[in-house]
Amino acid sequence: MTSTGIRLHAPAPGWSIAADVVVVGSGVAGLTAALRCEAAGLDTVVVTKARLDDGSTRWAQGGVAAALGEGDTPGQHLDDTLVAGAGLCDEEAVRILVTEGPDAVRRLIDTGAHFDESSEGGLALTREGGHHRRRIAHAGGDATGAEISRALVEAVRARGLRTIENALVLDLLTDADGRTAGVSLHVMGEGQHDGVGAVHAPTVVLATGGMGQVFSATTNPSVSTGDGVALALRAGAEVSDLEFVQFHPTVLFLGPDAEGQQPLVSEAVRGEGAHLVDADGVRFMVGQHELAELAPRDIVAKGILRRMLEQDAEHMFLDARHFGAEMWEQRFPTILAACRAHGIDPVTDPIPIAPAAHYASGGVRTDSHGRTTVPGLYACGEVACTGVHGANRLASNSLLEGLVYAERIAADIARERSDSGLHARVPQPVPYSEQPAHPLLAPEARFAIQRIMSEGAGVLRSAESLARAADQLEQLHAEARGALDENGKTAEPGVDTWEATNLLCVARVLVAAARLREETRGCHWREDRPERDDTDWRRHIVVRLNPDRTPTVDTTETALFPPTRSEAPAPRRPQEQ
């Protein structure tokens, strides 16, 4: 691994603390990793961008998928996951997920999470898209993420873990040998720590969540600006499969100009029998797939968009009026309240829906223990690409992946510390250069990036739309770089400019990968290349950032991921950009 030497323009750290492990992120993946590291005797610090419970996990409605029901098996869960992943899942990674998943859920329950129970006293399980069995455990009807977040946050506080809230991570710190030495971060607001500082640690776990804010309309919270992927790229890590952004099929339609976080209508609503219909009440998914409305998400999203294009409509409808008031109030109280807050009563009216950006199936490339290509840097949850999701995530596998791979990361860190005796090691970061290495964008660039990405790299893509998006993004990058190179000027360092700069970084990489993949697969839909091409494209796209800030985009030789750590890198097919 070769460091790029790139960092965000920011003041030098004015304070620092030391730890064995720093976990960046406080969703299901981050807090699980932190709790397991602390239980192994490792001095652990949790850094999170807002409050401990403000990440994407709390917004998860559907539940956790695991083979917990009678007659269900990990093998059946594996089969459904591989089908949804459209030929690009790492089968061994999926096997780990489905085999270790049931016990990981039980440990989560032991931690304090309360899941809904059936009348017989066992877990109440439901179905979602792509699943052939009822294997989704849920809490509070449709508030699973909020309950998981509550339980994990309470456990973290009960254990007395050190936490730094309202802290935006900036860059990875490394030592003279290129190993991880901690992170720099900016704490927003007064407290024990304020302004730019550092956590020095030989191990960093990225669990920063997704990058949905790169699009105008998304189900992701405002904090999901791709900070972890951008940090990893600047640190020299490889990212993979970033072109596979899942657009959730059923997001409450609030108008053609709606921006920011949009209310999600969980797939579990369809799992309980809701129907997708057009304005005439016709169920248009029937006949398109054996599972109709419960087909994998990419197929349903495409079906909705096709019908919208055919009818020149801005949205379709989700009809669950037959549920009745009691079922809505007991099973889906959160969704019911969100709909009514926007003037829609799903008890009496169909719900207007349209696809919106939801989940990044790709991310920072890891092995089966969460190790990235940078020594000492791990990643789990949505920021990571473990190979589990392939070209399209199976519904409710995300929370499970966060649980399972966070536990594997903690076990690997503890094992490595025990083997190498690194407990007493105090990392010495390379001195902080006073010269800004990366130009910052003005805050308003965020909205330009979102518009460019929604128009050119949204649900439906083409060579023309992606080329236009690439040109527009490059113009934003060139303007910022030109100002820095010519007169040393850049936007004022701050949360808004750092976030806009991170969004541009991940947007450029996403578009570069999407332009290269000249086929339609999973949630990557090229209208000019409508067929899946296993001969040329059953392989992964891997991107890394060069010191001159340009991306190098390669493809793997096969659908297998190369190792993240080896003396001789696996062969790649270099691609022209």
Side-chain angles (χ1 to χ4, degrees), residues 274-297:
H275 303 143
L276 285 166
V277 298
D278 60 20
D280 297 321
V282 176
R283 287 182 62 189
F284 55 86
M285 284 304 300
V286 175
Q288 292 199 36
H289 190 276
E290 61 168 337
L291 296 176
E293 285 94 349
L294 285 177
R297 286 179 179 174

Side-chain angles (χ1 to χ4, degrees), residues 151-182:
L152 291 173
V153 168
E154 285 189 6
V156 164
R157 288 176 173 155
R159 292 267 193 67
L161 266 73
R162 284 191 289 170
T163 61
I164 304 176
E165 296 181 276
N166 301 307
L168 171 64
V169 67
L170 298 176
D171 282 304
L172 188 74
L173 303 176
T174 56
D175 64 17
D177 297 323
R179 279 194 58 90
T180 292

